[in-house]
Amino acid sequence: MVSCQAVANGTTQPRRADTDDKRKLIDSVDCFIFDCDGVIWRGDSVIDGVPETLDMLRAMGKRLVFVTNNSTKSRAGYLGKFTGLGLNVNAEEIYSSSYAAAAYLESIDFKKKVYVIGESGILEELDLKGIQHLGGPEDAEKVVALKKGEYMEHDEDVGAVVVGFDRHINYYKIQYATLCIRENPGCLFIATNMDAVTHLTDAQEWAGNGSMVGAIAGSTKREPITVGKPAEFMLDNIAKTFGLKRQQICMVGDRLDTDILFGKNGGLTTCLVLSGVTDEETLLSPENSVHPDYYMSQLSELLAVKEAAKVAA
Amino acid sequence: MVSCQAVANGTTQPRRADTDDKRKLIDSVDCFIFDCDGVIWRGDSVIDGVPETLDMLRAMGKRLVFVTNNSTKSRAGYLGKFTGLGLNVNAEEIYSSSYAAAAYLESIDFKKKVYVIGESGILEELDLKGIQHLGGPEDAEKVVALKKGEYMEHDEDVGAVVVGFDRHINYYKIQYATLCIRENPGCLFIATNMDAVTHLTDAQEWAGNGSMVGAIAGSTKREPITVGKPAEFMLDNIAKTFGLKRQQICMVGDRLDTDILFGKNGGLTTCLVLSGVTDEETLLSPENSVHPDYYMSQLSELLAVKEAAKVAA
């Protein structure tokens, strides 16, 4: 009965953060990891008040990291999006799943070639780590004739297939990746992420990398190693790169089943913003078991801490 | 101990069919369902002795059905392959997964439109059932620009997406199918089959419809209704179409995990031929638990019954 009442009273429910909660959150961590879409921007538009909030956190000495499961751009490529939206960010603060794939291969001292299903971001990040690659955009126009006796050659030195979102996915790429994984002994199958859908434009949801990964899983009957959210690798790598302990980090995101779960599983403080795909009704519904430590309408609510400090002064 | 000895003595192991077994098999059933690839042909070549064996069975009054998970052709389209290989077959004896998809929709009295990922075979079979469709080959060259604000319209009257093997799979088709399944209430997701790989040419294995289905499962997080082997629907529909009881049917195939399992699960007599992907070592290995009622090197071994009858005469 006690626990039922507790639920009925709302004491085990997430509570909307007030100014004291916000101050406590900011004081308790040294680093904020931000999911981008639905937190920093929506499609092609920056969310109201975000630039000022980032400036405030930076002025308070906080380390900021921007993570995105979108693998189509490299970190350098993403920088253009940030600066174009008036956001003051360095390439080193960006952690894209394209970079995660290259960082993962570096972490296992990978020396063979990579076959890429994906766009230029993955190739650029592999280049920066000195990892040889083939595939990607250069295979966009390739066609398989499937005429009598047709045989596709493949490179036996490919030791990993990296699969990221690819608007030019085709049967040539599917077959090439399938041959590498099925026929090259020990060949790895790496997914930048498994997102079902993604906000490629403001206007609607688009089929995500779940489709490209699903295509290769379907022909190889293999499960991929995922390096983007919500995989552990990304978090380990961020903590190691920036010399942080888990308890010093807050994950800020708009998705319960990826961002918040990723943060909770990793032992981070978690903060949900309602400016993306999750509404308050979903968060508070009895069906939802993923409860963030804090939640607020949008990131700029953290500015209340600054306003309160001004009033106090 | 007894059961271990029984295994050691080989009494629970499948045994290679002798002439008496073959006669018993033929006498005990009225219909043979044949998997095609690895049983009737390998890639583009008919397997030795098959035409004579089929003629013999037909002369004995047996009903013959040729099933294939390949959905790229309609039954009429397949007829060309049979006759081109010198096989005497009628279109009504062919049961392709393209036909299975149309037969499934007919069985549920489907009245809406179908979006097709796949080749011409599915469209032709839908036409024969009077079912409206869009997609398929006409979407082969469509490109999604993903420019700012891009929005893809889709037909809200689509009530089913049928996914078959499609060498022209592209992102347009993936997104269109995803929108129909995610946004049209009650929209069905139907897979002609889930084969990981397929022998599209003699020269090598090619990524199969597992890839196309995996792509749509990955963006919709839905599991498909499968109508080809080893799904129950195909067997029910064959039995109903030809007015047969399960115990009157023998399934002949070269794959333990699809053909033989399909037959056993359906209550059919089963016969494995070693002319396809399964060798005797795999069949008899302790790891294999799928045991056919009969097995032989290739279908033409059934001709021994005719030879024995001649000698006796």
Side-chain angles (χ1 to χ4, degrees), chain A residues 27-285:
Chain A
D27 289 348
S28 68
V29 299
D30 298 311
C31 171
F32 286 87
I33 298 180
F34 299 105
D35 173 52
C36 295
D37 195 39
V39 178
I40 304 297
W41 58 62
R42 261 193 301 265
D44 305 313
S45 315
V46 72
I47 293 173
D48 188 43
V50 164
E52 299 87 330
T53 313
L54 298 181
D55 287 346
M56 177 191 79
L57 292 173
R58 220 183 271 286
M60 288 171 159
K62 305 301 176 186
R63 161 77 68 182
L64 310 182
V65 181
F66 301 87
V67 300
T68 172
N69 266 357
N70 189 325
S71 67
T72 60
K73 294 190 181 77
S74 61
R75 290 172 301 168
Y78 255 108
L79 194 56
K81 173 148 189 175
F82 280 89
T83 53
L85 290 170
L87 295 161
N88 174 28
V89 166
N90 305 314
E92 295 71 33
E93 292 175 322
I94 302 170
Y95 201 100
S96 58
S97 67
S98 54
Y99 173 72
Y104 176 79
L105 290 168
E106 183 184 45
S107 78
I108 60 167
D109 200 27
F110 182 83
K111 298 292 182 207
K112 302 183 89 173
K113 293 181 197 168
V114 175
Y115 182 73
V116 178
I117 290 181
E119 306 198 0
S120 59
I122 297 170
L123 306 189
E124 290 165 29
E125 294 294 353
L126 291 174
D127 282 338
L128 289 170
K129 300 288 190 194
I131 298 170
Q132 283 183 279
H133 54 78
L134 60 161
E138 74 183 21
D139 288 350
E141 304 300 329
K142 290 191 180 163
V143 174
V144 179
L146 284 176
K147 62 185 183 297
K148 189 168 173 170
E150 174 107 354
Y151 179 87
M152 186 188 284
E153 300 279 353
H154 77 282
D155 188 331
E156 292 178 4
D157 290 333
V158 169
V161 171
V162 171
V163 182
F165 177 81
D166 190 336
R167 77 197 72 190
H168 300 293
I169 185 74
N170 61 30
Y171 187 64
Y172 179 93
K173 295 181 186 185
I174 292 171
Q175 172 66 357
Y176 201 103
T178 301
L179 288 172
C180 292
I181 292 171
R182 289 177 68 101
E183 300 192 4
N184 290 1
C187 184
L188 301 173
F189 171 21
I190 297 169
T192 59
N193 69 94
M194 298 280 280
D195 294 10
V197 290
T198 176
H199 283 94
L200 294 173
T201 69
D202 287 347
Q204 69 182 170
E205 289 187 323
W206 294 84
N209 194 36
S211 285
M212 290 81 208
V213 175
I216 306 307
S219 56
T220 60
K221 302 292 179 195
R222 287 262 300 271
E223 288 298 315
I225 299 161
T226 305
V227 294
K229 291 180 292 174
E232 273 284 290
F233 172 75
M234 198 181 227
L235 192 52
D236 280 339
N237 197 245
I238 290 172
K240 192 175 166 197
T241 303
F242 297 111
L244 293 164
K245 293 201 174 73
R246 302 281 179 110
Q247 59 267 36
Q248 295 174 281
I249 304 172
C250 177
M251 175 73 211
V252 186
D254 71 323
R255 286 177 192 263
L256 291 165
D257 60 349
T258 55
D259 303 326
I260 302 304
L261 198 60
F262 168 68
K264 290 182 82 77
N265 288 346
L268 312 187
T269 298
T270 53
C271 178
L272 180 82
V273 291
L274 303 176
S275 48
V277 299
T278 308
D279 59 20
E280 195 166 22
E281 191 184 337
T282 305
L283 170 66
L284 301 180
S285 102

Side-chain angles (χ1 to χ4, degrees), chain B residues 134-145:
Chain B
L134 60 161
E138 74 183 21
D139 288 349
E141 303 301 328
K142 291 192 180 162
V143 174
V144 179

Side-chain angles (χ1 to χ4, degrees), chain B residues 66-87:
Chain B
F66 301 87
V67 300
T68 172
N69 267 356
N70 189 327
S71 66
T72 60
K73 294 190 180 80
S74 62
R75 290 172 301 169
Y78 255 106
L79 193 57
K81 173 150 187 173
F82 281 89
T83 53
L85 290 170
L87 295 161

